[in-house]
């Protein structure tokens, strides 16, 4: 924090931010209100208030801001582009699902002061070390508890602080710590005294116990002590353990101690190591790009979004280009557009037959051009649900070609007829259109089969809206309605006509006219109707892709799991949420990954366990959006049935033993100052049905600050290559539903063994430092 403050002295932009600026906060063309913004002295908090609101004000942390966009780089600012020039406009983009803050300054110079100042603050935060981050966190708590802003804290303020920090401590014990820290004997704690109080409060007895188990003298870990710990507990590779021990001492031992000179590690250095990325449960090597990216595209799980344009529900939700930007920045590699004929000859994107707002297809394509390869250079698939007439399909094709240029894949890579997919490596920087195609890839490469003057073709209509889950149709209410042979009204589709057939009701399929120009944009991802696995095996081309609703996919899984896996070893498959999920909720993606389905499309805008699992799976391999499927799902000569994993070749079950030791600085879930959480930890295994399991620790009364469990949970994992492990912390409540505190999900294959910290995430998937769990992990062979 002192580094940040020193940086202010010579920085005119930050000085200007501290003085404060009046700017317009923009929400729409009609909502433009003046607000007074300023940077607080802590260099971490932006404070703002309305001119008319009296003492009422709002704040947000610089830590919550992901990036700053200059000019008209949001839909809101584009909508008022004719009113305010771009050099006065900027957007603060927040982490997670929080909305953007669009601002207009009174002058270009004022805008630049805030743009450059915010960028510097964000950069400083990103470059902070662990100890600096902790200092910043302590400073934030000090400010919150220092009610009278005199820069010191008396004991009543300390008692309030403890409640705010999730600690329900015995008053006598708290007073004893206070008196010990009050070195100046003034009855108040100032800067260094408060830090001392905090350190006494956060003393890690659990880590000290491990440290002393391996320390020869109880004071430090010699090089040999540390080597023994790394070899026996952390299961580091024996050959490089001495070199690793020396590197850890250099990296984490505080430089102002003599211990570093002795090639040894103190308790402070040991704790710094355990709290670092190297001490995390997620293996650092697997967080970087480590997988073979030269396999055919269909051999990978692909991070995929459904109804990407929606920011909320599917009935009245807001459609926004921001949905695409956010998904792409989370590593998503398959996004969806629902295209309809729009006014002025311009195709629009929205959830048809609903009250969701509309955006231009052209703007979606521009967002793709600008953001597709910001976080991953591997290919993006644009999945189209096309409801446009032929004329506006031509406009779609024109936008794709002119806006995307060379980024749009327009032909096979070598101009020859391929026999399998190219790899993500070969398709780097390319956008692939998934949609209907007139004829096949062979015809388009050999020249059109149809007469030269044929500008359109006829294809079957694979409209998601017409693909209502058959399971849903047989619910009692719908069955009664179907018997009346009337038109069924579904809020997300409008009217869909049904015909009676064999006492069951199905949507009528129609033929759709397709423009040749749009058809030609489809190369490797031709959407086709699925008949059966047998039909696909005999007749389908590798580039043909079928889409299933979640219930149809489950039906195939139940009836022919091994065939489903086999099908996905040859072709791409997409599974998407039921259209009846009008709240934009999600299905469990794990079921579909168990079949080898590559494109498991989820509503990225909806937080929950399903998106936690998606984030968990794709947090490996450099977060590039592609994860290589296990070899038994890639080889057509191998057989794997997710319902019966024990029958597969190479079956080797594993035992997972997790001792949940302690928690640190868990966030409050109740805004009342007097409320303190009663935390417990649940460990969930998500994988093949035989692996699905969860176990819980006891709950700890009134301690979210440093709860201690030492509870051991054991699991058997039958298909470790497919398993994900999710750690969830909840606030126990015997009278009502438990409140969510934090979670962390990761692939089983990425777990580091030994003593590890788990850095918890919020419901939105954003980090909530310094909240963590401390665990011991051991994985052993069962056979």
């Amino acid at each position: 924090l002192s580094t940040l403050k020193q940086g202010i002295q010579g920085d005119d932009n930050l000085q200007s931010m501290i003085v404060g600026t009046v700017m317009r906060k923009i929400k729409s063309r009609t909502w433009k209100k003046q607000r007074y913004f300023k940077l607080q002295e802590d260099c971490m908090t932006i404070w703002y208030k309305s001119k008319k609101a009296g003492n009422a004000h709002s704040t947000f942390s610089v830590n919550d801001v992901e990036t700053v966009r200059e000019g008209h780089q949001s839909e809101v600012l584009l909508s008022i582009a004719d009113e305010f020039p771009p050099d006065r406009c900027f957007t603060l983009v927040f982490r997670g699902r929080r909305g953007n803050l669009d601002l207009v300054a009174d002058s270009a110079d004022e805008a630049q002061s805030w743009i450059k100042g915010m960028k510097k603050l964000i950069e400083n935060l990103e470059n902070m070390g662990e100890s600096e981050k902790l200092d910043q966190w302590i400073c934030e708590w000090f400010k919150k508890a220092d009610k009278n802003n005199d820069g010191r804290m008396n004991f009543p303020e300390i008692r309030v602080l403890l409640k705010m920090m999730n600690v329900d401590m015995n008053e006598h014990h708290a007073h004893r710590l206070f008196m010990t820290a009050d070195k100046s004997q003034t009855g108040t704690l100032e800067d260094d005294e408060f830090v001392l109080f905090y350190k006494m409060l956060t003393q890690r007895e659990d880590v000290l116990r491990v440290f002393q188990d391996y320390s020869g003298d109880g004071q430090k870990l010699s090089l040999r002590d540390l080597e023994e710990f790394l070899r026996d507990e952390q299961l580091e590779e024996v050959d490089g353990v001495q070199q690793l021990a020396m590197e850890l001492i250099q990296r984490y031992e505080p430089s102002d101690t003599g211990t570093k000179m002795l090639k040894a590690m103190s308790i402070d250095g040991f704790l710094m190591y355990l709290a670092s990325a190297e001490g995390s449960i997620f293996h650092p090597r697997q967080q970087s790009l480590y997988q073979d990216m030269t396999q055919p595209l269909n051999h990978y799980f692909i991070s995929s979004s459904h109804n990407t344009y929606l920011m909320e529900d599917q009935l009245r939700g807001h459609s926004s280009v921001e949905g695409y930007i956010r998904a792409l920045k989370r590593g998503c590699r398959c996004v969806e557009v629902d295209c309809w004929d729009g006014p002025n000859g311009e195709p629009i994107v929205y959830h048809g037959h609903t009250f969701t707002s509309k955006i231009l297809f052209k703007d979606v394509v521009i967002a793709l051009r600008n953001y597709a390869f910001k976080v991953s250079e591997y290919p993006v698939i644009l999945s189209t649900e096309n409801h446009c007439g032929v004329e506006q399909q031509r406009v779609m094709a024109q936008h794709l070609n002119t806006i995307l240029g060379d980024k749009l894949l327009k032909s096979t890579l070598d101009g020859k007829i391929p026999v399998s997919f190219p790899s993500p490596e070969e398709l780097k920087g390319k956008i692939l259109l998934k949609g209907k195609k007139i004829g096949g890839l062979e015809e388009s490469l050999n020249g059109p089969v149809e007469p030269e003057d044929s500008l359109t073709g006829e294809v079957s209509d694979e409209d998601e809206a017409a693909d209502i889950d058959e399971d849903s149709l047989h619910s009692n209410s719908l069955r009664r309605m179907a018997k009346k042979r009337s038109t069924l009204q579904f809020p997300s589709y409008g009217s869909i006509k049904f015909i009676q057939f064999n006492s069951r009701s199905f949507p009528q399929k129609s033929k759709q006219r397709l423009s040749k120009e749009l058809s030609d944009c489809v190369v490797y991802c031709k959407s086709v109707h699925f008949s059966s696995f047998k039909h696909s095996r005999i007749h389908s081309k590798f580039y043909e892709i079928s889409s299933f609703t979640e219930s149809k996919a489950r039906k195939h899984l139940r009836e022919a799991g091994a065939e489903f896996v086999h099908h996905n070893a040859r072709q791409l498959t997409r599974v998407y949420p039921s259209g009846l999920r009008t709240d934009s909720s999600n299905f469990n993606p794990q079921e579909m990954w168990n079949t080898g389905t590559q494109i498991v499309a989820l509503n990225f805008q909806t937080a929950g366990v399903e998106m936690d699992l998606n984030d968990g799976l794709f947090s490996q391999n450099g977060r590039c959006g592609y994860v290589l499927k296990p070899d038994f799902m890639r080889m057509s000569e191998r057989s794997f049935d997710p319902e019966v994993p024990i029958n597969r070749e190479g079956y080797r079950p594993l035992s997972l033993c997790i001792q949940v030791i302690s928690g640190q600085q868990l966030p409050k879930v109740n805004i009342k100052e007097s409320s303190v959480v009663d935390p417990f930890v649940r460990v969930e295994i998500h994988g093949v049905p035989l692996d699905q399991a969860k176990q819980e620790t006891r709950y700890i009364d009134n301690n979210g600050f440093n709860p201690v469990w030492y509870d051991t949970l054991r699991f058997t994992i039958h298909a470790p290559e497919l398993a994900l492990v999710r750690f969830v912390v909840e606030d126990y409540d015997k009278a009502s539903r438990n409140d969510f505190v934090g979670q962390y999900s990761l692939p089983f294959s990425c777990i580091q063994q030994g003593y590890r910290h788990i850095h918890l995430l919020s419901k939105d998937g954003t980090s909530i430092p310094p909240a963590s769990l401390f665990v011991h992990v051991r994985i052993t062979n069962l056979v």
Side-chain angles (χ1 to χ4, degrees), residues 600-623:
V600 180
L602 297 179
N603 290 300
F604 269 49
Q605 72 272 28
T606 307
V609 59
E610 300 84 8
M611 274 307 298
D612 292 345
L613 296 178
N614 196 77
D615 289 344
L617 176 66
F618 292 103
S619 58
Q620 62 182 312
N621 206 30
R623 295 183 180 271

Side-chain angles (χ1 to χ4, degrees), residues 59 69 129 169 216 248 336 373 716 718 721:
T59 61
R69 294 187 203 151
M169 185 180 284
L248 293 180
E336 185 189 20
F373 305 108
T716 298
H718 298 274
E721 301 91 339

Side-chain angles (χ1 to χ4, degrees), residues 66-104:
E66 185 179 291
T67 190
V68 185
R69 294 187 203 151
E70 296 186 51
H72 300 144
Q73 286 202 64
S74 75
E75 286 165 305
V76 170
L77 291 178
L78 280 168
S79 73
I80 50 100
D82 55 343
E83 197 174 344
F84 301 106
D87 60 2
R88 287 170 54 193
C89 301
F90 64 98
T91 301
L92 299 184
V93 181
F94 291 94
R95 300 181 192 281
R97 293 173 174 83
R98 180 173 172 179
N100 296 343
L101 179 59
D102 292 299
L103 298 169
V104 177

Side-chain angles (χ1 to χ4, degrees), residues 52 110 134 177 197 199 247 252 282-283 349 358 360 409 424 510 522 525 560 572 575 583 612 641 643 737 749 781:
K52 301 174 184 174
E110 282 187 350
L134 189 58
L177 291 181
F197 175 80
K199 285 190 172 176
E247 287 172 6
Y252 299 111
F282 201 120
H283 203 302
V349 174
K358 302 169 178 67
L360 293 177
L409 188 78
S510 63
V522 176
C525 299
L572 282 172
V575 175
D583 59 351
D612 292 345
D641 185 342
E643 299 288 324
R737 189 176 175 180
S749 59
N781 292 313

Side-chain angles (χ1 to χ4, degrees), residues 33-163:
K33 301 200 175 171
Q34 287 196 326
R35 296 286 184 266
Y36 178 55
F37 289 84
K38 68 174 182 176
L39 175 66
Q40 300 281 63
E41 293 287 344
D42 64 358
C43 308
M44 286 300 307
T45 311
I46 306 295
W47 178 100
Y48 65 99
K49 65 177 287 189
S50 162
K51 286 179 132 184
K52 301 174 184 174
N55 291 325
H57 68 273
S58 301
T59 61
F60 61 85
S61 172
V62 175
N63 220 4
D64 296 335
V65 182
E66 185 179 291
T67 190
V68 185
R69 294 187 203 151
E70 296 186 51
H72 300 144
Q73 286 202 64
S74 75
E75 286 165 305
V76 170
L77 291 178
L78 280 168
S79 73
I80 50 100
D82 55 343
E83 197 174 344
F84 301 106
D87 60 2
R88 287 170 54 193
C89 301
F90 64 98
T91 301
L92 299 184
V93 181
F94 291 94
R95 300 181 192 281
R97 293 173 174 83
R98 180 173 172 179
N100 296 343
L101 179 59
D102 292 299
L103 298 169
V104 177
D106 282 346
S107 70
D109 287 344
E110 282 187 350
Q112 277 302 308
S113 282
W114 277 84
I115 290 164
K116 289 176 180 174
M118 284 298 298
K119 285 182 175 178
K120 178 166 186 177
L121 291 172
I122 293 167
E123 184 186 357
N124 284 345
L125 275 176
E126 286 171 352
N127 294 332
M128 264 189 187
E130 291 302 317
S131 60
E132 288 175 303
K133 286 178 184 173
L134 189 58
D135 287 347
Q136 171 220 326
W137 196 75
I138 295 170
C139 182
E140 284 178 6
W141 280 116
F142 188 97
K143 280 198 64 181
K144 284 178 187 174
D146 184 15
K147 297 290 188 186
N148 57 7
N149 295 316
D150 64 354
R152 57 186 68 183
M153 271 200 278
N154 56 35
F155 186 63
E157 286 176 321
I158 285 286
R159 282 168 59 198
V160 171
L161 172 71
L162 292 174
K163 291 283 187 186

Side-chain angles (χ1 to χ4, degrees), residues 519-586:
S519 170
D520 287 347
C521 293
V522 176
V523 182
Y524 289 115
C525 299
K526 177 186 175 180
S527 297
V528 297
H529 175 71
F530 177 80
S531 298
S532 69
F533 290 127
K534 182 180 178 181
H535 180 275
S536 294
R537 193 166 60 249
I538 298 168
H539 300 289
S540 290
K541 310 290 188 185
F542 78 88
Y543 55 81
E544 294 178 336
I545 172 172
S546 299
S547 292
F548 303 124
T549 60
E550 56 181 282
S551 59
K552 280 190 178 177
R554 282 192 202 101
K555 183 171 179 283
H556 292 315
L557 172 58
R558 282 194 307 269
E559 295 174 358
E563 279 192 87
F564 203 168
V565 174
H566 206 259
H567 173 86
N568 289 328
R570 297 189 316 275
Q571 292 175 248
L572 282 172
T573 297
R574 175 174 170 269
V575 175
Y576 58 92
S578 161
L580 298 180
R581 291 182 181 271
T582 54
D583 59 351
S584 290
S585 59
N586 283 309

